[in-house]
Amino acid sequence: MVTNFHELYRTYAQDVYRFAYWLSGNAQDAEDITSETFVRALTTADEIRVETVKGYLLSIAKNLAFQRSKQAKRITFLDPDLRTASYGPEKEAEVNLSLQSTLRFMQTLPAIDRAALLMYAQDDLAYEEIALALGISLAATKVKIHRARLKLSAHRMQQEE
């Protein structure tokens, strides 16, 4: 149970940042979105229900990311310097190329589909929480996640060929 704002931030900031980073594709935007998310959560007049805190915060972050995207009217790709593990230079280059290709592909998905998939796969939210956070029906949530997973799978299979 989250008892104060400091604990709320410490518990969820990393999840909100990671989610914002995947949505925006930019570290600076993700930091801004994360900060603004917690400012809005702190200043809200509504009481935050503990069982949906993560979904509530991700919903705010999603709205902020979509708002920024509409304002910018551009696609930003993620940093090419992302590193996952210590490989030899050849393997690391291969992994980075594959990761960059997947990240670029994720940026081509409709924003709401990308958000639904990330909430499901990365943040491990239930379909019901995702539907509530995105403001869509439970059935639409399941369809969006399923279709996004199929597209991602097809993309990855194409990369392996």
Side-chain angles (χ1 to χ4, degrees), residues 1-16 34 38 57:
M1 182 173 192
V2 179
T3 57
N4 63 39
F5 184 77
H6 179 69
E7 185 178 335
L8 178 79
Y9 184 83
R10 192 169 15 104
T11 303
Y12 297 108
Q14 186 175 11
D15 293 331
V16 172
T34 301
F38 284 95
L57 293 171

Side-chain angles (χ1 to χ4, degrees), residues 3-156:
T3 57
N4 63 39
F5 184 77
H6 179 69
E7 185 178 335
L8 178 79
Y9 184 83
R10 192 169 15 104
T11 303
Y12 297 108
Q14 186 175 11
D15 293 331
V16 172
Y17 173 82
R18 186 174 39 249
F19 180 69
Y21 189 69
W22 276 89
L23 285 178
S24 68
N26 180 287
Q28 184 61 48
D29 286 347
E31 289 176 11
D32 293 345
I33 290 167
T34 301
S35 298
E36 182 67 19
T37 296
F38 284 95
V39 166
R40 290 191 182 192
L42 178 65
T43 60
T44 186
D46 300 331
E47 183 178 328
I48 302 172
R49 294 187 320 231
V50 173
E51 66 272 5
T52 62
V53 170
K54 188 173 184 179
Y56 176 75
L57 293 171
L58 294 179
S59 180
I60 293 171
K62 180 238 350 151
N63 291 336
L64 291 169
F66 288 0
Q67 183 181 14
R68 277 181 180 262
S69 177
K70 285 179 184 177
Q71 289 172 351
K73 298 277 186 194
R74 62 178 166 80
I75 296 178
T76 304
F77 295 108
L78 294 175
D79 249 342
D81 295 331
L82 290 175
R83 299 202 175 177
T84 56
S86 291
Y87 297 115
E90 188 174 298
K91 180 66 176 172
E92 188 170 334
E94 182 182 320
V95 168
N96 281 338
L97 285 174
S98 176
L99 176 61
Q100 288 303 311
S101 174
T102 301
L103 295 175
R104 280 191 301 274
F105 175 77
M106 288 290 291
Q107 293 293 320
T108 67
L109 292 174
I112 196 161
D113 293 5
R114 186 170 64 241
L117 180 61
L118 290 170
M119 286 177 166
Y120 178 78
Q122 178 181 319
D123 296 306
D124 202 28
L125 294 181
Y127 288 118
E128 293 81 7
E129 281 187 284
I130 297 167
L132 183 64
L134 297 177
I136 58 177
S137 71
L138 179 59
T141 300
K142 290 179 179 181
V143 167
K144 287 185 179 304
I145 292 170
H146 178 71
R147 288 182 181 164
R149 290 176 73 187
L150 287 176
K151 289 176 184 176
L152 184 58
S153 178
H155 172 75
R156 293 192 53 121

